[in-house]
Amino acid sequence: MTTRTEGHMADEPLELLQGTLDMLILKSLSWGPLHGAAVAESVHTRSGQELTVEEGVLYPALHRLEKRGWLESVWGLSEKNRRVKFYRLTPEGHEHLKAETQTWRRYVSAVSRVLGVP
């Protein structure tokens, strides 16, 4: 996953904290089932085009989350009439997203205090 930044390092991707991609995928799927490319587009759009999820990290993450029981998948047809896997959150996935969101908010709040950001 890469991000666009302002200033002199605008072309350099930021390293994301471990687990951030998983949380963003789970959040994207919290609004309903999506296929992989639509998950990536959701993250990109909802981040104001700041975050880009590359296929090379997206699909391993989707498979990992499915293996953990947080996602389920079914085969279907995309809007372009292509056979794709659609992913949706399981009840366990919803619970994990809720817990991770609370942890993320605490983390952001703590870092903001250290940086002096209101």
Side-chain angles (χ1 to χ4, degrees), residues 17 19 25 47 66 76 104 106 109:
L17 296 173
I25 290 171
S47 71
E66 189 173 20
W104 181 256
R106 285 181 44 227
S109 178

Side-chain angles (χ1 to χ4, degrees), residues 5-73:
T5 60
E6 301 298 324
H8 70 286
M9 296 184 355
D11 295 332
E12 294 180 29
L14 291 174
E15 294 286 328
L16 294 179
L17 296 173
Q18 187 167 350
T20 303
L21 175 59
D22 292 357
M23 186 174 49
L24 295 175
I25 290 171
L26 293 174
K27 184 60 180 179
S28 293
L29 293 169
S30 72
W31 294 297
L34 296 170
H35 57 80
V39 170
E41 181 59 30
S42 174
V43 171
H44 187 68
T45 300
R46 291 182 184 272
S47 71
Q49 288 69 42
E50 294 287 338
L51 303 175
T52 301
V53 181
E54 306 293 335
E55 279 187 36
V57 297
L58 174 64
Y59 290 100
L62 287 167
H63 296 146
R64 181 177 62 251
L65 295 173
E66 189 173 20
K67 188 174 183 177
R68 290 180 180 165
W70 298 335
L71 300 181
E72 294 175 335
S73 65

Side-chain angles (χ1 to χ4, degrees), residues 108-118:
V108 169
S109 178
V111 170
S112 294
R113 285 191 301 272
V114 171
L115 295 176
V117 177

